[in-house]
Amino acid sequence: MKTLLSLFCLVTYLTCALSANGWPVSLDMACNKALSTVACSFEFTNNGNEDLYLLKRNTPLEGLYSEFVSVSLNGRPLEYEGIYIHRLPPTKDEFVLLKAGESTSATVQITDIFSIDTDGLYTVQYSRPLQYLSVSEMSAMSIDQLRELFAQEFVQIHLEDTSLLLKPKKEEIKVDYTVHLEACGSARFVGNNQNYATLHAHQHLCSSLLKAETKVGYGIPISAKWFGAYSYHRTAVAKNVYQKIRYGITTKTVTYYNNGPQCRPNSYAYTYKGSTTVYLCPVYYRDQILCSTTGESKEGTLVHEWSHAFGYTDDIVYGRPNSLNLARYHPDNAVRNAESYCYHYCDARFF
């Protein structure tokens, strides 16, 4: 896997250009302050001699639906305050055709997903791989053949009067009703779409999370399967995530928001780190209620989302095959991956 060339740039208005040098896709970045926001533009260029399909997912081309940049102040990272979405594999409508020699671009306001409230020197770093397919691969919909290039571009910008910048907004919630559960806190609901099924799945979490936690560690096959070869550190990380999920749903009043306003057609659900709300999306309602060791389920999706909200996991890969490979080849990432908890938890229910 190849790494794109990084360039350093530092001026009042910053542009960081990527040298083509044979790479099929290049990235140009620029960031500037405009009144109450900080806007960053991203231009993707096909430098090759054949047309490509660039995946918009996890890039600014789809908007602010993923953590495709990191922001730091004097080397101290800022907390990403955007959403974490549990999704289906990408479909053709999530790609943009990038003809040979052509470019496509997007501009987003990073002040919508990062709280910038201290004057100083900020670094905005592109942090997601660029994924693409050839025209023939797209015709065959060979999603498992997605190619990757790691864009390590960054810009630096000195910001003043940051107290005037807008801060990320959280979605307003008007609760319809609350269900109090013995030994499992309370569950609130916004809207009504299979609420009985969500409550049933939630109740299984209350009784099964501790069992899943005990199935992490040395000599336990499903632990190695989803979190990689045993190590004391990884075991501690995974157990801590489970403990935080269990503590969160048993001591807090959690909310299930039906048909969340930022849902995408191919999304199961989304949430925010530190949130007590999971926003349910169209795909979620199609799944069976309780766990399976082969398919998807509402119960598994709730584990995925609460691991984000309470356990502060990330979305590194989706799906069983990718999660299995992550555990095998990158176990330190597996214990940070929300999907890994979804599958490990469901396996633990039957182990």
Side-chain angles (χ1 to χ4, degrees):
M1 190 174 295
K2 298 179 179 179
T3 301
L4 295 177
L5 178 65
S6 294
L7 298 178
F8 176 83
C9 20
L10 174 58
V11 288
T12 303
Y13 175 85
L14 302 115
T15 300
C16 193
L18 179 71
S19 171
N21 283 347
W23 306 117
V25 182
S26 65
L27 167 66
D28 290 346
M29 287 178 58
C31 294
N32 65 89
K33 180 174 177 287
L35 298 177
S36 59
T37 66
V38 175
C40 292
S41 61
F42 304 83
E43 183 175 72
F44 304 91
T45 301
N46 181 353
N47 296 308
N49 54 14
E50 66 171 331
D51 299 346
L52 300 172
Y53 279 92
L54 180 65
L55 182 62
K56 293 183 288 185
R57 179 183 291 189
N58 296 327
T59 80
L61 297 174
E62 69 165 353
L64 296 171
Y65 290 95
S66 63
E67 189 178 3
F68 53 82
V69 293
S70 61
V71 179
S72 59
L73 170 61
N74 298 325
R76 178 180 60 83
L78 273 61
E79 186 70 45
Y80 168 71
E81 298 180 45
I83 63 177
Y84 288 85
I85 309 179
H86 184 195
R87 319 195 205 202
L88 283 169
T91 52
K92 188 172 182 177
D93 63 328
E94 291 187 77
F95 291 80
V96 59
L97 176 60
L98 201 55
K99 294 186 176 182
E102 292 189 352
S103 301
T104 187
S105 62
T107 299
V108 297
Q109 296 178 354
I110 63 170
T111 38
D112 288 344
I113 53 175
F114 292 97
S115 291
I116 298 176
D117 51 18
T118 303
D119 293 2
L121 181 65
Y122 286 82
T123 300
V124 182
Q125 171 107 34
Y126 202 89
S127 57
R128 287 278 190 166
L130 304 180
Q131 298 181 300
Y132 64 95
L133 292 171
S134 68
V135 173
S136 60
E137 289 165 342
M138 176 58 76
S139 298
M141 278 307 293
S142 303
I143 301 301
D144 58 341
Q145 297 182 19
L146 273 171
R147 308 182 200 182
E148 289 188 346
L149 291 172
F150 280 84
Q152 296 181 331
E153 307 320 300
F154 66 90
V155 297
Q156 290 189 305
I157 183 170
H158 190 276
L159 296 174
E160 298 179 348
D161 299 324
T162 51
S163 61
L164 303 178
L165 293 174
L166 296 175
K167 301 300 182 286
K169 294 180 181 179
K170 293 295 186 291
E171 298 172 40
E172 294 185 8
I173 298 175
K174 295 181 180 179
V175 175
D176 291 327
Y177 67 92
T178 303
V179 178
H180 301 287
L181 302 167
E182 185 177 352
C184 195
S186 301
R188 307 189 305 178
F189 290 87
V190 178
N192 191 349
N193 193 338
Q194 302 182 31
N195 289 356
Y196 70 92
T198 298
L199 184 60
H200 190 190
H202 178 90
Q203 289 173 306
H204 269 267
L205 261 62
C206 298
S207 60
S208 301
L209 280 165
L210 180 58
K211 180 180 180 181
E213 182 187 333
T214 65
K215 300 302 180 182
V216 179
Y218 179 76
I220 303 175
I222 62 169
S223 182
K225 179 180 180 181
W226 296 112
F227 299 128
Y230 171 79
S231 82
Y232 176 84
H233 171 72
R234 286 193 291 273
T235 295
V237 170
K239 283 182 175 290
N240 186 52
V241 169
Y242 274 126
Q243 289 166 10
K244 288 179 176 178
I245 300 172
R246 186 159 52 88
Y247 179 82
I249 68 168
T250 56
T251 64
K252 302 177 186 296
T253 298
V254 302
T255 301
Y256 293 106
Y257 192 125
N258 286 290
N259 302 306
Q262 296 199 61
C263 282
R264 316 282 283 188
N266 63 348
S267 302
Y268 291 93
Y270 68 89
T271 191
Y272 300 81
K273 286 184 177 179
S275 176
T276 57
T277 301
V278 166
Y279 300 82
L280 306 174
C281 299
V283 178
Y284 169 85
Y285 301 110
R286 304 194 321 230
D287 286 342
Q288 64 187 52
I289 299 173
L290 300 182
C291 272
S292 163
T293 57
T294 56
E296 305 299 328
S297 65
K298 291 179 172 63
E299 187 179 3
T301 290
L302 298 189
V303 172
H304 180 118
E305 293 306 311
W306 291 127
S307 80
H308 282 316
F310 297 135
Y312 281 58
T313 58
D314 294 313
D315 282 323
I316 299 173
V317 298
Y318 294 106
R320 288 176 184 271
N322 290 333
S323 297
L324 288 170
N325 286 332
L326 193 68
R328 186 175 298 119
Y329 301 113
H330 304 285
D332 287 345
N333 285 337
V335 294
R336 296 174 41 238
N337 185 49
E339 195 85 318
S340 302
Y341 290 89
C342 164
Y343 297 131
H344 174 269
Y345 167 90
C346 284
D347 275 7
R349 291 257 280 108
F350 301 95
F351 181 77

